[in-house]
Amino acid sequence: MSPARRRRLPRLWVMLVGMVAGVTAVVLFAVSTFFIAQYRAGMIQSARTASAQACNQVAVTVARYVRDMNEVMDLVQTSMEYEGADRDEFLRDLLRVRSDVVAVTTYTENGDLVDCWSLDHEPRDQILQNLSFDAESAASADSYVTPPHVETIFESYYPWVVTMANRLPGKETAAWVSLDLSFSTISEYISNVGIGAHGYCFLMDRDGNVVYHPQQQLIYSGLKSEDTAHLAELPDGVWTEKTVIYSITGIEDSTWRVVGVSYVDELVDLSVKAMLRICLGVAATVLAAALGTGWVLSRILSRPLAALASAMERFEQDADHFAYEPVSGTREVEELSDSFGHMVHRIQHLMATVREEEVNLRKTELKALQAQINPHFLYNTLDSIAWMCEQGRNADAVNMVHALARLFRISISKGHELIPIRKELEHAESYLQIQKYRYKNQFTYDFKVDESCLDCLCNKITLQPILENAIAHGLDLMVEPGHIDVEVCRDGKDILFRVQDDGVGMDEEQVRHILHSEPGDRTGIGIKNVNDRLRIYFGEGYGLRIESEPDEGTCVEIRMPQVREGEYETK
């Protein structure tokens, strides 16, 4: 996959912080969920335990109350054996001692009141309804206890009582004796027992009848109900049904049972919500600390890696002048930094080796191209000297030989490829002098040179192939004498050579052919050779540009950089 299409991953610090935050969040969520679940289960169990303890306390208190009632009943039954005055005195003393005993009464088998003993209160002459005697219970049992009720046998006195009645064996007139006991003490105690903000306890018998309920008025008015039938079927214990916890405890030596009612939402959910808020606060703090720690760790790791990546980018942009400074950090980062430093050193060494090999190769190529020029030029010059000797122009031939000697002395240049432009111009002028002898002064030439360029360097034998091509293919075909202008000038940081003739010119196809002629062609090999040498030595931005029009002439422009003597070895 190409780098452009490769999916880019987030930066290391983003990934590290995200991973730390994600792992922390998952762990916190799992731990918080487990903790809240366990905490809720523990709270429910605590609520069940608290409800059971509250019911047990009520059951103990009510059991103690029932035992007291039984003890008082035993005393009353015993007093029934006494004679009239003794019995009355005993019962009055009992009423004074036990303030919770409202009245002691005896009834016939049919429930008619026989005697009544009570402090400061006398029974009505006409009792419309006596709630203290239950004829139905009397017919089926030898003793019974009535639910709490209002005492109705007194005038203008209506205490809240519970009645305990026992059969009197062997009595003809009084068949039942009963105690009307004040229920206010036990009712106040039960009413004050709370389980949570809205929980409560109530009494019921084993058949599911409500004996006492702290919200009795709501029960009687139908605004509240208790599923006592279902509760009566449950054994003693703690039962959780939906959002309600029921605790049921039987009272010893009694048919009564204490039922505790509490609500999960107020005993458990409120605490769970409070704990959940605490957990969220702790989780937020831990997550923030994890994010901070992740950020610090990411900076510790990502900064050295970012510095290493930046160093790699700088090395990629400028490997030659790159100076690597080791990056400090963790051991892994330092090892990676050292490896990169070794790689930089080896690559720079390899680049230097390759560069040196390229220079050697370039020199070899230049020598090969130079070897192509020299025989080609020598062949043409010797051909001209031979022609002059054949014509008997020995003096001119001698002058040509001397000019050829000067020309080759400059072209050799002690093996250097670059020579001063001054020497290259001397070389070109020697060549033009030789060619004027051959072509019988068929052309003239002029040099226009910026003297500031004379000390700059150029490739040797650069102008001669251009001049040769201008003479042989531009001026030689003309009837009238021609003219060649050679110009050297500066163009910014470059130097331009222009060789312009007023010869026959060329079309575009001929220009392309000259610039691309392969070695072996009879014509144009010098032009291509010069262009190739310039590009090999200075780069693709330099070389020859030819402008020509048929019958108007040709202009060859040579561009090369300004090179001074001290820069020779760097080129």
Side-chain angles (χ1 to χ4, degrees), residues 470-515:
I471 295 171
H473 302 290
L475 303 179
D476 189 34
L477 301 178
M478 295 176 59
V479 176
E480 298 178 356
H483 183 75
I484 298 175
D485 284 321
V486 178
E487 181 183 359
V488 181
C489 64
R490 293 179 181 271
D491 184 16
K493 295 183 179 181
D494 297 336
I495 291 180
L496 293 181
F497 292 79
R498 289 192 183 94
V499 178
Q500 187 168 357
D501 65 71
D502 55 359
V504 297
M506 297 178 289
D507 57 23
E508 293 182 1
E509 182 64 29
Q510 289 175 308
V511 171
R512 284 194 299 271
H513 178 72
I514 289 175
L515 289 174

Side-chain angles (χ1 to χ4, degrees), residues 59-287:
V60 169
T61 301
V62 174
R64 186 181 303 113
Y65 178 79
V66 171
R67 284 196 299 271
D68 288 345
M69 290 173 59
N70 290 330
E71 291 176 358
V72 173
M73 176 57 73
D74 290 341
L75 293 175
V76 170
Q77 280 188 297
T78 302
S79 67
M80 292 296 110
E81 302 294 333
Y82 299 162
E83 294 297 331
D86 294 336
R87 179 182 58 192
D88 294 340
E89 184 179 358
F90 176 82
L91 292 177
R92 282 194 298 270
D93 292 338
L94 177 65
L95 291 172
R96 281 193 292 267
V97 173
R98 295 295 301 262
S99 60
D100 57 332
V101 179
V102 175
V104 177
T105 55
T106 56
Y107 297 93
T108 64
E109 191 69 38
N110 296 326
D112 296 329
L113 179 62
V114 178
D115 290 312
C116 177
W117 295 269
S118 178
L119 293 178
D120 303 326
H121 300 287
E122 294 294 334
R124 294 173 184 268
D125 294 333
Q126 188 68 31
I127 300 174
L128 299 178
Q129 183 180 10
N130 188 355
L131 299 178
S132 297
F133 186 84
D134 185 359
E136 182 177 351
S137 298
S140 59
D142 292 335
S143 64
Y144 63 87
V145 178
T146 65
H149 58 277
V150 176
E151 178 68 82
T152 59
I153 64 174
F154 297 111
E155 187 74 35
S156 301
Y157 179 54
Y158 307 100
W160 185 254
V161 297
V162 61
T163 300
M164 175 181 287
N166 279 0
R167 183 181 294 277
L168 294 174
K171 297 292 184 179
E172 296 179 359
T173 303
W176 289 89
V177 62
S178 65
L179 294 176
D180 291 332
L181 302 169
S182 174
F183 202 70
S184 59
T185 302
I186 195 63
S187 64
E188 288 178 3
Y189 175 79
I190 295 176
S191 298
N192 291 330
V193 174
I195 308 175
H198 300 90
Y200 54 88
C201 291
F202 69 93
L203 290 176
M204 72 174 187
D205 59 21
R206 298 193 182 276
D207 295 329
N209 299 314
V210 176
V211 175
Y212 172 76
H213 198 290
Q215 303 172 8
Q216 196 126 332
Q217 293 181 351
L218 298 179
I219 296 292
Y220 289 158
S221 62
L223 298 178
K224 183 178 179 62
S225 63
E226 299 285 357
D227 190 6
T228 55
H230 170 66
L231 296 176
E233 297 175 356
L234 298 177
D236 289 356
V238 182
W239 308 92
T240 303
E241 297 184 359
K242 296 182 180 179
T243 61
V244 181
I245 299 176
Y246 293 105
S247 180
I248 303 175
T249 303
I251 297 175
E252 185 180 358
D253 299 330
S254 174
T255 60
W256 292 350
R257 304 177 76 189
V258 179
V259 179
V261 180
S262 57
Y263 299 96
V264 174
D265 57 347
E266 64 179 32
L267 292 178
V268 177
D269 291 348
L270 292 178
S271 299
V272 170
K273 289 179 181 178
M275 183 56 64
L276 182 60
R277 287 192 295 269
I278 295 174
C279 288
L280 290 177
V282 173
T285 303
V286 172
L287 184 59

Side-chain angles (χ1 to χ4, degrees), residues 370-395:
Q370 184 65 38
Q372 294 176 2
I373 292 177
N374 291 339
H376 184 62
F377 168 71
L378 182 60
Y379 171 80
N380 291 333
T381 305
L382 292 177
D383 183 54
S384 298
I385 294 173
W387 175 82
M388 295 180 71
C389 290
E390 291 174 356
Q391 297 295 322
R393 298 170 58 184
N394 295 331

